[in-house]
Amino acid sequence: MAAEIESHQHSLARELECVSGVPIFQQLAHNQMISVAEVTRAIHAQKGQIVFRPDAVSQTLYIVNTGQVRLYHLADDGKERVLRVLNPGDFIGEIALFTDEIHSDYAEATQTTELCTISRTDLTQLVRRLPTLALALLNALAQRLKTAEHQATLLAIPDALPRLAGYLLDLSQSQATTVTLPMSKQDLAAYLGMTPESLSRKLKQLVTLGAITTHGRREITIVTLAKLQAVAPQ
Amino acid sequence: MAAEIESHQHSLARELECVSGVPIFQQLAHNQMISVAEVTRAIHAQKGQIVFRPDAVSQTLYIVNTGQVRLYHLADDGKERVLRVLNPGDFIGEIALFTDEIHSDYAEATQTTELCTISRTDLTQLVRRLPTLALALLNALAQRLKTAEHQATLLAIPDALPRLAGYLLDLSQSQATTVTLPMSKQDLAAYLGMTPESLSRKLKQLVTLGAITTHGRREITIVTLAKLQAVAPQ
DNA sequence: CGTGTTCTTGATTGTCTTCAAACAGAGTGG
DNA sequence: CCACTCTGTTTGAAGACAATCAAGAACACG
């Protein structure tokens, strides 16, 4: 966690590659994509680098092209609380974009990451000119909203076990597959509103119940979906 | 909780009044508002009436014009969990609008309520034609997203007191004013991820601390903002 | 192969939930 | 207008659950 990332020369080719790789731009025609690429700047961040920090008045949309970005909040006790993990195609900054607000969170690359950035004014222009982009953005925001509200519902559950089970079901999309946790267990614990110790114990409990098995540090296989659903809420 | 609401004849005047009263349409020019009003239908709901219920494939945007709508989810134990309370200007259905999904919640009028409804296809057309509307919608969704993510952060706090304090600060916008709770205390308890008993005790604790006073059933006055902030997170 | 971090395990304390009952307020009908 | 009822809220006591503190084990790193 150290040096700020630096932006690059505008080379269009790189930007076009960035734009074409991102879902929200996928529905655009080729010439429209070029319009977007013209106002896009690609930036790179190495593992551990901070993409942006609180109090910076960022009027920029950041879209993850490759790699991963961890969005977290620093509590007054010094503990980090992960808000969200951004994988390729995900974006941040939409709040700062449409509402005059400074963000209060840190964004840190967890690996070598490429991002596309578009300034507020440029994006506003684009949305005005490209209705398809407007709809794609609305779509993406609606999706995010749904996730966030679902997570709030999950977190309102007092007991840790159903909360965890519900999270795992979301992650696996209710399939009996193997899922990779998107963050470390201590981050996940904070994300789920519990301590790392509790998370460890609850996972163990699910293993004992025969609902899941764990492989390595971040792999979880859902063995019996029904058993997981039995402890999950709703 | 009973009879379904009925929609009305399309009379434009009524619809225009509905459209002009809603923030997301406020930035539109008059002729644009008329375009919106043409595809809007106003519906009314009496206190206790269900506006929509789960499993109904609703591809409709509902905007509250007057009154109030309570959005809640029915858990398998039969308990209602309030997701959100919609006041004039607020809207629901944006998820069903942009993503092919059926909603799983109930929407119930808590008082005599007028809503504007716009169908998915009509709204899509409007967004394509009116960039200003697209931006207004993006703005509103971004705002909602911010609220939802903030609430998720709040709910991840294990201790009930700071969770409640944080909620009250949000409600009062960090002002030492009198606030009216948007829902009953038992609903609020579920919303905050605790039992009604705990909420009652924690409120009492805040009163004892000299942070707040209560008046009647839904009125809370923040006496000493600093004391409330002291127990709040972040 | 060591070193640091992450994760797990154990014992204890504290807090919240649960269950039960009393109380208050709003609405209703006599 | 008052008694009555129903729902919502508060209070109390007991038990369950998760947080905390402390230490050890597993893993990733150089």
Side-chain angles (χ1 to χ4, degrees), chain A residues 2-233:
Chain A
E4 299 293 315
I5 50 163
E6 84 267 25
S7 96
H8 296 275
Q9 291 300 312
H10 200 268
S11 61
L12 204 59
R14 183 203 294 275
E15 275 72 21
L16 192 55
E17 187 219 307
C18 198
V19 168
S20 61
V22 166
I24 50 170
F25 299 126
Q26 225 109 74
Q27 298 162 42
L28 295 176
H30 186 69
N31 62 324
Q32 294 177 325
M33 272 195 197
I34 292 176
S35 299
V36 177
E38 278 168 356
V39 295
T40 299
R41 293 203 96 84
I43 58 173
H44 283 81
Q46 295 303 314
K47 177 174 180 176
Q49 275 192 312
I50 304 290
V51 177
F52 61 74
R53 53 181 72 251
D55 302 327
V57 182
S58 171
Q59 300 194 331
T60 309
L61 184 77
Y62 297 85
I63 309 161
V64 176
N65 187 25
T66 61
Q68 193 184 61
V69 171
R70 200 170 67 108
L71 199 68
Y72 65 90
H73 188 86
L74 211 59
D76 54 355
D77 59 358
K79 282 182 185 168
E80 296 176 359
R81 177 160 201 289
V82 173
L83 302 170
R84 212 147 58 85
V85 171
L86 296 120
N87 290 302
D90 296 336
F91 54 89
I92 13 167
E94 67 294 326
I95 293 168
L97 262 186
F98 301 109
T99 69
D100 279 305
E101 270 183 77
I102 50 173
H103 39 221
S104 53
D105 313 313
Y106 290 86
E108 176 191 320
T110 62
Q111 44 187 271
T112 304
T113 298
E114 184 182 49
L115 301 106
C116 310
T117 69
I118 303 179
S119 78
R120 175 186 191 153
T121 48
D122 286 335
L123 187 72
T124 306
Q125 299 288 337
L126 284 174
V127 168
R128 287 194 178 279
R129 272 177 43 213
L130 307 175
T132 309
L133 177 60
L135 284 171
L137 274 173
L138 282 170
N139 216 312
L141 276 184
Q143 207 70 49
R144 284 260 316 269
L145 188 56
K146 190 189 156 204
T147 311
E149 290 189 337
H150 180 74
Q151 223 241 326
T153 311
L154 211 58
L155 284 168
I157 299 162
D159 291 309
L161 192 63
R163 214 157 62 222
L164 174 59
Y167 174 79
L168 290 176
L169 285 172
D170 285 349
L171 203 62
S172 66
Q173 295 164 82
S174 295
Q175 305 271 315
T177 53
T178 299
V179 294
T180 305
L181 299 179
M183 52 185 124
S184 71
K185 283 187 181 156
Q186 59 182 4
D187 282 350
L188 181 61
Y191 183 77
L192 292 176
M194 58 181 94
T195 58
E197 294 94 325
S198 284
L199 177 60
S200 178
R201 283 186 249 264
K202 293 302 154 190
L203 279 172
K204 194 182 173 186
Q205 199 173 335
L206 287 177
V207 172
T208 308
L209 282 168
I212 62 166
T213 54
T214 57
H215 313 95
R217 204 145 257 205
R218 283 199 186 185
E219 299 275 299
I220 291 178
T221 302
I222 298 176
V223 183
T224 315
L225 191 65
K227 287 182 181 173
L228 196 58
Q229 287 171 328
V231 294

Side-chain angles (χ1 to χ4, degrees), chain B residues 147-164:
Chain B
T147 311
E149 291 190 337
H150 180 73
Q151 222 240 327
T153 311
L154 211 58
L155 284 168
I157 299 162
D159 292 307
L161 193 63
R163 213 157 61 222
L164 173 59

Side-chain angles (χ1 to χ4, degrees), chain B residues 158-161 193-195 197-198 201-202 217:
Chain B
D159 292 307
L161 193 63
M194 60 181 92
T195 57
E197 294 93 327
S198 283
R201 284 185 249 265
K202 292 304 153 189
R217 202 147 258 203

